[in-house]
Amino acid sequence: MRRAAVTTLTSVAGIVLLLSLKPHQDTAPSAATAPSPTGGKSSATAPAGTGGAATFTGDTTATRYGPVQVAATLKDGRITAVKVLQVPSENGRDREIAGYAVPQLTQEALSAQSARIDAVSGATYTSEGYRQSLQSALDQAHVQNR
């Protein structure tokens, strides 16, 4: 009986220790975290011949895994395109997450016509950075978060 109690207690302690582990965080600076040419600020451009469309670059949002920045193109107050300028890409897992999350986030933003979008499962930090950067771009265009 005593052996069973010790074994159970050891197993529970081992599981608790495993669950309390934190994911690795790389503290070394990388090229992906370099400031954008605009110094992290937003900008707006209206390319010639776009028929009234204007592109607004959102602020760079620092996430736990790297920066996220998007640019939104609006025409007549509607979001017509969202281009991702920066996403976390430090390692293969970052690129994998961005590869499946970014198209879903972009489709959702185009459907919702706002930054009020759901996070992609498994890409919470990227989703939140995308949403914040998109809202920054929409704020420049004075589009209300519907």
Side-chain angles (χ1 to χ4, degrees), residues 3 100 117-118:
R3 180 180 273 178
Y100 75 79
I117 56 177
D118 292 331

Side-chain angles (χ1 to χ4, degrees), residues 69-92:
Q69 184 179 31
V70 301
T73 302
L74 285 82
K75 182 174 182 179
D76 299 326
R78 294 191 50 82
I79 302 170
T80 58
V82 179
K83 180 179 180 184
V84 176
L85 304 176
Q86 292 184 64
V87 289
S89 59
E90 186 67 25
N91 57 49

Side-chain angles (χ1 to χ4, degrees), residues 131-143:
R131 190 198 64 73
Q132 288 178 8
S133 185
L134 178 59
Q135 185 59 55
S136 170
L138 297 177
D139 288 347
Q140 289 178 60
H142 306 295
V143 173

Side-chain angles (χ1 to χ4, degrees), residues 10-141:
T10 304
S11 297
V12 169
I15 291 171
V16 168
L17 287 173
L18 282 174
L19 293 175
S20 67
L21 287 176
K22 304 283 188 230
H24 174 71
Q25 287 183 316
D26 187 13
T27 57
S30 67
T33 60
S36 66
T38 59
K41 300 291 183 195
S42 306
S43 64
T45 59
T50 58
T55 301
F56 299 89
T57 303
D59 290 333
T60 301
T61 302
T63 70
R64 180 176 183 171
Y65 298 103
V68 178
Q69 184 179 31
V70 301
T73 302
L74 285 82
K75 182 174 182 179
D76 299 326
R78 294 191 50 82
I79 302 170
T80 58
V82 179
K83 180 179 180 184
V84 176
L85 304 176
Q86 292 184 64
V87 289
S89 59
E90 186 67 25
N91 57 49
R93 181 69 176 141
D94 290 345
R95 290 186 291 276
E96 177 186 355
I97 290 170
Y100 75 79
V102 167
Q104 290 180 45
L105 292 166
T106 300
Q107 184 58 47
E108 185 137 351
L110 292 172
S111 295
Q113 287 295 303
S114 76
R116 189 174 271 166
I117 56 177
D118 292 331
V120 174
S121 179
T124 306
Y125 293 102
T126 300
S127 298
E128 184 59 21
Y130 185 103
R131 190 198 64 73
Q132 288 178 8
S133 185
L134 178 59
Q135 185 59 55
S136 170
L138 297 177
D139 288 347
Q140 289 178 60

